[in-house]
Amino acid sequence: MSKVAIFASGAGSNADRILHFLNENQSSVKVALIVTNKKEAGIYQVAENHQLPIFYFSNQDFLEATPVLQFLQEQKIEWIVLAGFLRKIELPIVSAFENKVFNIHPSLLPKYGGKGMYGKKVHEAVIANGDRESGISIHLVNSEFDKGEIILQAKCIVEKGQTVEELVENIQKLEHEFFPKTLVQYINEIK
Ligand code: GAR
C-alpha cells in the first residue's frame, strides 16, 4: 500500500476525482489524509464526503516547513499530491520527499508557470496572449516553482473569442481525466 497525502487550497475538484478513481479501481494507492492552508474552502466538503481527516496548517507553518514535515512523518506519509495547492513547497519537504511530490498545473509548462501563476491568472494570460492552445502539466516538484520533471502534458485548443470560464472548463476536464490515472500509474511503476 502506498500512503498519500493530498494538499489542496480550493474547491477540491481534483482531490474529489482522485478519491473516486482510487475507490472505483480498488487501488493499492491510499489517500490517508488531506492537508490545507485554508480555513474555509470546498476541500473541507470533499474530505467529509470521502470520510477523510483534513488538517489545517497556516502559511507560516508551510514557510517554516518543519511543522508540516514532522506531521507527515508521524503519519507515515510516502507521497504528496498537490491538487490545487497554491503555496510553494519549501526545501525541507521537497528533500524529504524527493521525487515523491506531484503537482498539477493548468498550463503547458514551462509556459505560464512560476510564482503568482495559478488558477484563473494562468488562463487570463493565455487568452490575453492570443495562444491557440493550452493544456495541463503533471509534474514532480523540486525546489524551483513549477520546474520539476514533467510526467504528462495534455492539450486543448483555445478557440478565438473563448472566455476564461470556457477555458477553465476545458482545462478541468483534462485534469480530471488525466491526473488520477497518471498518479496511480507512476506510483505503481516506482514502488
Ligand atoms: C486546478 O485547475 C489546478 O490546476 C490549479 O488550481 C486548480 C484547482 O482546482 N493549480 C494551480 O494553479 C497550481 N499552480 P480544484 O481545487 O477544483 O482541484
Side-chain angles (χ1 to χ4, degrees):
M1 197 185 79
S2 303
K3 214 172 164 187
V4 174
I6 292 182
F7 285 25
S9 309
S13 72
N14 278 288
D16 187 53
R17 295 305 289 255
I18 291 165
L19 291 162
H20 277 299
F21 182 88
L22 297 179
N23 268 343
E24 283 157 15
N25 293 284
Q26 298 179 349
S27 175
S28 61
V29 176
K30 192 142 184 66
V31 176
L33 55 92
I34 297 178
V35 167
T36 185
N37 64 328
K38 296 284 176 192
K39 287 193 166 158
E40 275 177 45
I43 189 64
Y44 284 87
Q45 188 61 51
V46 173
E48 194 181 318
N49 293 348
H50 291 273
Q51 298 178 334
L52 274 178
I54 179 162
F55 297 88
Y56 165 83
F57 287 91
S58 67
N59 286 338
Q60 185 60 31
D61 289 334
F62 284 103
L63 195 62
E64 288 170 21
T66 322
V68 181
L69 180 56
Q70 268 176 6
F71 169 77
L72 296 172
Q73 287 170 337
E74 277 160 24
Q75 298 286 330
K76 305 210 172 345
I77 297 299
E78 295 162 275
W79 301 83
I80 300 172
V81 174
L82 309 181
F85 185 68
L86 305 182
R87 297 266 329 164
K88 187 165 182 271
I89 300 298
E90 298 296 335
L91 197 55
I93 298 180
V94 173
S95 306
F97 286 84
E98 201 183 352
N99 293 329
K100 295 205 159 175
V101 185
F102 302 97
N103 184 39
I104 185 144
H105 189 79
S107 76
L108 296 170
L109 290 173
K111 290 187 102 177
Y112 308 109
K115 198 168 193 282
M117 269 303 190
Y118 56 84
K120 230 175 163 182
K121 290 186 187 177
V122 172
H123 309 302
E124 282 164 358
V126 168
I127 287 179
N129 283 345
D131 287 9
R132 293 276 70 94
E133 65 173 20
S134 189
I136 62 164
S137 303
I138 297 167
H139 67 95
L140 294 173
V141 173
N142 64 13
S143 56
E144 288 180 275
F145 226 134
D146 294 332
K147 289 206 174 146
E149 183 194 329
I150 292 171
I151 299 170
L152 180 129
Q153 292 189 309
K155 290 181 184 178
C156 61
I157 288 168
V158 182
E159 305 283 359
K160 273 210 175 102
Q162 199 168 46
T163 63
V164 170
E165 287 68 29
E166 286 163 346
L167 179 54
V168 169
E169 206 180 308
N170 290 342
I171 291 287
Q172 287 232 301
K173 269 188 207 147
L174 290 178
E175 294 186 335
H176 297 164
E177 181 185 347
F178 287 101
F179 201 20
K181 62 185 179 195
T182 304
L183 293 172
V184 170
Q185 199 180 347
Y186 189 91
I187 291 174
N188 284 337
E189 272 170 24
I190 296 289
K191 70 167 195 209

